[in-house]
Amino acid sequence: LSIHALVVIPAYNEAARLPRLLADVAAYLRSGAPAADSLDVDFLVVDDGSRQDEFEVVKAEIERVQLVPAVRLIRLDRNQGKGAAIRAGFERGLAEGYDFLGFMDADSSVPVSQLHRVLEYLAVAAPGSLSGAIGSRMRMLGRDVRRNPVRHYVGRVFATFVSVAFRQPVYDTQCGLKVFTREAVRRHLSVPTDTRWVWDTQLLLAMLDAGECIHEVPIDWRETGHSKMSFLRDPLTMVWRLAGFRRRLRARRQAGQGIEDRV
Ligand SMILES: Nc1nc2c(ncn2[C@@H]2O[C@H](COP(=O)(O)OP(=O)(O)O)[C@@H](O)[C@H]2O)c(=O)[nH]1
Ligand SMILES: [Mg+2]
């Protein structure tokens, strides 16, 4: 089976962190590893209204790696949030006919090898059996997961809350690596209400709630020091956003718009 995927990289003022990921992406594409596993992967950096100088650095870096059209850049005219940036990338990917749409964070927390792992997982699954596969940061033998302890515990409390509140046996709702089929994205893209940190969690929950089959794939993760998220304010906002989202999903279910809602 071959996979034609677009991987969106949301980027907000990422001049300092994105060049490293771009170098890894370039090495990956040139290594022949994707082709060896019948993966045809393109990348789309979505700049989310970064400062002009930050944007220029990213733009220059993408030109420097000389991987157009495999690595492209688009820019949103104002800052709208991580979710809005991924969404813009997904819409582009749908219009361009990609079979799989995914995203990964710009900060190299997810090594490119782990994107490969998830795409490979989708490639060997029985055709049509999965609507997506997401990375999961499980500390376990055979995986190398390095996280800041505070972020780990805040994250675990949050993910457990989401799992219980939405009655879904998902371990890691917040991982910065998720890939879905184009059909699943098309069916659920309009459901999320958030535009920032919980957009992708909402998209995932909308899919699970409608009965889509998504698998978690344990990946390596190496956290970099900084985060654009605040430890206290953002998790509280995220809980609040998700509480409201539960009602939205319930209403949607009652209206009978689940997985059968094919346009
Ligand atoms: N589009 C957009 N992306 C953002 C924004 N803030 C952070 N990001 C992106 O979201 C991803 C994760 O951000 P990061 O700072 O690593 O947060 P973390 O999830 O706490 O590690 C990165 O690709 C960032 O560039 C924002 O305001 N807008
Ligand atoms: Mg990060």
Side-chain angles (χ1 to χ4, degrees):
L1 189 81
S2 81
I3 281 206
H4 187 213
L6 182 70
V7 177
V8 175
I9 303 172
Y12 180 56
N13 293 338
E14 292 287 3
R17 306 195 295 183
L18 194 61
R20 173 171 167 201
L21 179 65
L22 288 173
D24 291 346
V25 162
Y28 171 65
L29 290 174
R30 294 201 167 104
S31 71
D37 286 318
S38 303
L39 306 177
D40 182 359
V41 199
D42 291 338
F43 293 81
L44 180 66
V45 176
V46 180
D47 180 275
D48 186 28
S50 300
R51 287 203 328 258
Q52 189 65 25
D53 54 333
E54 298 264 351
F55 170 74
E56 293 295 340
V57 169
V58 167
K59 183 163 175 273
E61 202 57 30
I62 288 177
E63 281 159 14
R64 207 173 63 80
V65 295
Q66 292 190 327
L67 281 165
V68 180
V71 181
R72 290 173 295 159
L73 169 68
I74 60 172
R75 188 183 196 190
L76 307 182
D77 52 13
R78 61 185 176 85
N79 179 245
Q80 297 173 53
K82 174 178 172 177
I86 300 171
R87 189 197 158 115
F90 277 12
E91 278 168 353
R92 169 73 67 108
L94 284 177
E96 291 178 347
Y98 287 90
D99 301 325
F100 290 84
L101 300 162
F103 73 90
M104 70 193 296
D105 286 352
D107 63 357
S108 293
S109 292
V110 184
V112 180
S113 59
Q114 304 307 296
L115 167 68
H116 186 83
R117 192 194 284 275
V118 166
L119 292 174
E120 223 186 341
Y121 189 94
L122 288 165
V124 300
S129 63
L130 288 182
S131 294
I134 63 175
S136 197
R137 297 162 294 181
M138 251 172 252
R139 196 155 172 264
M140 59 188 273
L141 299 176
R143 291 295 182 275
D144 182 12
V145 175
R146 293 181 221 167
R147 297 185 74 182
N148 164 301
V150 177
R151 297 185 66 187
H152 169 73
Y153 288 114
V154 173
R156 287 313 314 150
V157 168
F158 183 80
T160 304
F161 158 81
V162 175
S163 174
V164 170
F166 287 84
R167 300 186 189 178
Q168 295 292 349
V170 50
Y171 178 77
D172 192 355
T173 47
Q174 299 309 113
C175 186
L177 172 62
K178 295 183 170 72
V179 183
F180 306 108
T181 62
R182 95 176 257 112
E183 292 75 26
V185 169
R186 213 165 38 83
R187 286 196 284 268
H188 306 284
L189 194 63
S190 65
V191 186
T193 49
D194 186 57
T195 55
R196 292 195 177 267
W197 301 112
V198 289
W199 182 87
D200 61 287
T201 303
Q202 291 184 341
L203 182 65
L204 172 71
L205 289 167
M207 290 180 182
L208 293 175
D209 191 70
E212 305 274 2
C213 186
I214 314 252
H215 282 186
E216 290 185 277
V217 179
I219 59 163
D220 297 342
W221 175 273
R222 46 162 196 243
E223 202 144 84
T224 42
H226 303 285
S227 167
K228 292 196 157 66
M229 223 170 79
S230 116
F231 280 132
L232 201 62
R233 197 194 57 223
D234 285 337
L236 290 176
T237 316
M238 286 157 74
V239 165
W240 178 248
R241 290 269 152 76
L242 283 172
F245 189 66
R246 228 160 59 117
R247 290 191 288 277
R248 181 171 167 92
L249 283 190
R250 203 175 304 135
R252 183 195 196 213
R253 211 179 310 138
Q254 277 158 7
Q257 299 170 319
I259 194 166
E260 286 77 30
D261 175 30
R262 289 161 208 260
V263 250

